[in-house]
Amino acid sequence: MNERSREVFRRVVEGYLATGTPVGSRTLTRDMSEKVSAATIRNVMQDLEYMGLLGSTHVSSGRVPTEGGLRMFVDGLLEVGDLQTSDRQLMDATMSSNSQDVSGVLDRIGAALSGVTQGASLVLAPKHEAPIKHIEFVSLGHDRALVVLVFGDGHVENRIFTPPPGQTPSSMREAANFLNALIEGRTLSDLQTVISRQITDRRQEIDQLAHAMVESGLAVWSGEGEGDGPDRLIVRGRSNLLAGDESEDNLSRIKTLFDDLERKRDIANFLELADEGEGVRIFIGSENKLFSLSGSSLVVSPYMNADRKIVGAVGVIGPTRLNYGRIVPIVDYTAQLVGKLIADRS
C-alpha cells in the first residue's frame, strides 16, 4: 500500500473500532492529512476491499475492516498506549488484601479486569502443585463420582468427574489404593507419567474397571476431562458482551461463546493459546478455534510462577472491535500482578 492507502485503511479501522459502525468516504475527507475528494477515497476503499482488508454490508454503505484487515492493523499499525494511571490503581487495589485465599484474590482480579475493560475477563488459575498425601474416590451416582485430593500442605480439593460405566465401590477402592501407593512426595504433574507407566506395568494386577477408574482420574488431573472444574477458569463480566447490542444474532453469538467456555476440555486449549512465550497475544475471530463460532476477539497473556514456568493465563474477550491499544497493556499488567501473587504464595 502507498501512503494514501495506508492512511485510509488506518482511519477506517480506527473509526470502526471507536464506533462499531461503517466508515464512509465523506467522513474520511474531513480527517485526511491531504485534501482529496470523496471519489478518490472511494476508489482507494474499493482497492482495499479487493485486497480483502475491508468489507461492506451493502453497496452504498461505508466500509468495515475484515478479520484479515484487523489482523494487519494489529500487527503493523496498532499503537499500544501506556497503562493509564486509573487502570493501574484499580488493578493494584485487588492485591491489597493479605488473604491467603488465592482463589478469592483471583476472582477479585477477574472482576476488576472485566470492569476496567468493559469486556468479559478470563483468569485461568494454576493447578495446586504441592505433594499429594491421599486420594479417595466417592460415588455420587451411576454417572457422577468425586475424587478427593488431600495435599501435604493441608490443601484439599474435591473434583467431580464422569466415571466409566459399571464402576463399583470395590473398583473405586482398588483404584484409590493403587494411586495411594504411588503418591508419596509426588505432585499431580509428577503422577501423570508415573501412573501411565504403572498402568502398563501392572495391568494384570488390577481388574478392568479399576483400570478404567485410574484412567478417568488421570484425565481429570491432566486437564483432559471434566475435573479441571469451573473453579480453574474464572469468568466475569458476561453481561458486558451484550451491552448496546441485544439483537438475536448477538445473543446467539454470546450463547455460542459461553457454551464453548462451559466445555471443560477447552480450559486446556485456553492455556495453550498463551503457552508460546511471554507477552500478550491477540486472537481475532476465526483465528482462535476456541471462540471461532462466536466471532469474538481474545487478548490473552500467560503468567509464571517463581520458577518462571507458565502456570496460567489471564485474558479479555470482546467483540472484534475491541480497543486493542488500551486493553493490551491492561492484560499485560494484570498477568504480571497474578504472576507475582502466585510467586509470593508459593
Side-chain angles (χ1 to χ4, degrees), residues 95-201:
M95 307 293 289
S96 59
S97 172
N98 292 323
S99 171
Q100 294 300 308
D101 179 14
V102 173
S103 295
V105 177
L106 292 179
D107 184 74
R108 290 198 300 275
I109 288 173
L113 183 59
S114 171
V116 167
T117 62
Q118 291 300 294
S121 68
L122 303 177
V123 179
L124 182 62
K127 293 181 180 180
H128 198 76
E129 284 296 287
I132 307 167
K133 185 177 181 181
H134 184 73
I135 296 175
E136 184 175 350
F137 293 110
V138 180
S139 176
L140 301 177
H142 71 281
D143 61 347
R144 297 181 77 210
L146 181 74
V147 57
V148 181
L149 305 172
V150 181
F151 294 84
D153 61 359
H155 180 78
V156 178
E157 289 188 14
N158 300 317
R159 301 179 180 181
I160 295 175
F161 67 101
T162 302
Q167 56 86 12
T168 65
S170 62
S171 69
M172 296 178 79
R173 285 194 300 272
E174 195 166 357
N177 291 337
F178 172 70
L179 292 172
N180 283 319
L182 301 175
I183 62 176
E184 184 176 0
R186 291 191 170 103
T187 67
L188 288 177
S189 296
D190 296 336
L191 273 180
Q192 293 177 22
T193 302
V194 174
I195 291 174
S196 297
R197 185 175 64 246
Q198 287 288 329
I199 287 175
T200 301
D201 295 344

Side-chain angles (χ1 to χ4, degrees), residues 112-120 237 239-241 243 316-319 322 326-327:
L113 183 59
S114 171
V116 167
T117 62
Q118 291 300 294
S239 61
N240 288 335
L241 297 181
V316 171
I317 300 175
L322 280 172
R326 175 172 175 260
I327 289 178

Side-chain angles (χ1 to χ4, degrees), residues 1 21 45 57 95 128 131 134 139 161 164-165 203 205 211 232 252 266-267 275 280 297 309 316-317 332 340:
M1 290 190 291
T21 59
M45 293 169 76
T57 53
M95 307 293 289
H128 198 76
H134 184 73
S139 176
F161 67 101
R203 189 179 298 273
E205 298 180 30
H211 173 207
R232 278 208 73 209
S252 176
D266 288 335
I267 296 176
D275 198 10
V280 179
S297 283
K309 176 184 177 183
V316 171
I317 300 175
D332 184 40
K340 185 176 185 303

Side-chain angles (χ1 to χ4, degrees), residues 20 26 58 65 71 96 100 132 251 255 265 301 325 335:
R26 291 191 180 278
H58 53 82
R71 168 51 59 192
S96 59
Q100 294 300 308
I132 307 167
L251 288 172
K255 182 180 183 300
R265 60 180 173 79
S301 178

Side-chain angles (χ1 to χ4, degrees), residues 9-23 63-66 69-70 73-74 77-79 284 297 319-326:
F9 173 68
R10 179 176 59 80
R11 291 190 182 280
V12 169
V13 176
E14 289 176 345
Y16 171 74
L17 294 180
T19 67
T21 59
V23 178
R63 300 300 194 274
V64 298
T66 62
L70 283 173
F73 175 80
V74 165
L77 299 175
L78 177 65
E79 296 181 2
I284 300 172
S297 283
T320 54
R321 64 177 192 87
L322 280 172
N323 184 344
Y324 298 100
R326 175 172 175 260

